[in-house]
Structure formats: structure tokens, C-alpha cells
Amino acid sequence: MIQIKNYSHTALVVKDLEKCKWFYGKVLGLASINRPKFRFPGEWYQVGNSQLHLMVRDEDIPIGSHHLAFETEDFAEAKRILKQNGIAVVDGPGKREDHSDYLFCRDPDGNLVEITFHVA
């Protein structure tokens, strides 16, 4: 068995890098980090102990239940900021059996994004 140490990163294919940089960097407030000089455009973000890698590639973007999930410290503020920026909630807000809050929205290229708040 491979001994996995930690979760490293998630890579997403995007078509409109500037709009996605606005969403992940400005709306969600993720910190941009250095990215190696690849032969294709992209942007990298730090997310806690993990990273999000945006890549502009000539691939189809699956529109389904595959998604990224980000935990927030202030669920009400997250909802307010999404609304303020014209980002529609496509599922929720709702509560899970463990009393955590959730909602789903889409990034500018249609990737499904979950925002959640876990009760301590």
C-alpha cells in the first residue's frame, strides 16, 4: 500500500482564466502563489495546506456533480459576498445531518463549487 502523507492539490480546467482568477482570487479570497512556467496559461492558489491549480487547456469541462469544496469561517458572509458579486446559488443553502451549512455555486466556467461551514 502507498503511504499517502497529505492531500496535495486539485487541478481544474478552465476556459476563461481572467474570470476564474476574479472568482477564486477576489470573490473567494484565495492567495495566488508562484507557478512554474508551463507551456499553457494557468494560476495557482494556496488553500490551507493544499493548492488549487487552474489550467487553460483544450478539454471539455464536465458539468455534473464533480466539485470543489471550500470551508468558510462565516457562512452568512459567504452568502452575502456571492450575492453581491452576482453569483447564483444553484443548490442550498441547506443543513446536513451534522448541522453543517452548505451551498453550491458555479465558477465562471461552470465548475461546481461547494461552500460549507462545519459546526464545532
Side-chain angles (χ1 to χ4, degrees):
M1 163 183 359
I2 296 174
Q3 297 297 315
I4 301 298
K5 179 180 172 184
N6 201 350
Y7 187 81
S8 173
H9 68 273
T10 298
L12 280 184
V13 173
V14 300
K15 299 295 181 190
D16 190 327
L17 183 60
E18 292 308 310
K19 283 185 181 176
C20 287
K21 285 169 58 175
W22 166 80
F23 178 78
Y24 290 102
K26 300 293 184 198
V27 176
L28 297 187
L30 301 183
S32 182
I33 58 175
N34 288 334
R35 176 182 178 266
K37 294 182 182 179
F38 294 112
R39 290 177 281 172
F40 55 90
E43 188 76 15
W44 286 11
Y45 295 96
Q46 191 68 42
V47 185
N49 293 327
S50 187
Q51 295 177 4
L52 171 62
H53 298 177
L54 303 182
M55 307 176 299
V56 178
R57 307 290 293 205
D58 188 22
E59 297 176 20
D60 289 332
I61 298 171
I63 306 299
S65 60
H66 302 283
H67 66 278
L68 297 171
F70 297 105
E71 185 173 358
T72 182
E73 293 182 2
D74 188 335
F75 193 71
E77 179 69 358
K79 290 189 302 184
R80 186 191 70 73
I81 290 170
L82 291 175
K83 184 175 182 177
Q84 173 185 322
N85 284 280
I87 298 165
V89 173
V90 298
D91 185 10
K95 281 220 185 272
R96 294 200 172 86
E97 289 181 15
D98 67 356
H99 305 289
S100 62
D101 295 299
Y102 73 90
L103 64 79
F104 288 88
C105 61
R106 293 201 181 271
D107 76 7
D109 276 332
N111 293 295
L112 194 58
V113 176
E114 177 182 358
I115 306 293
T116 186
F117 174 78
H118 295 285
V119 178

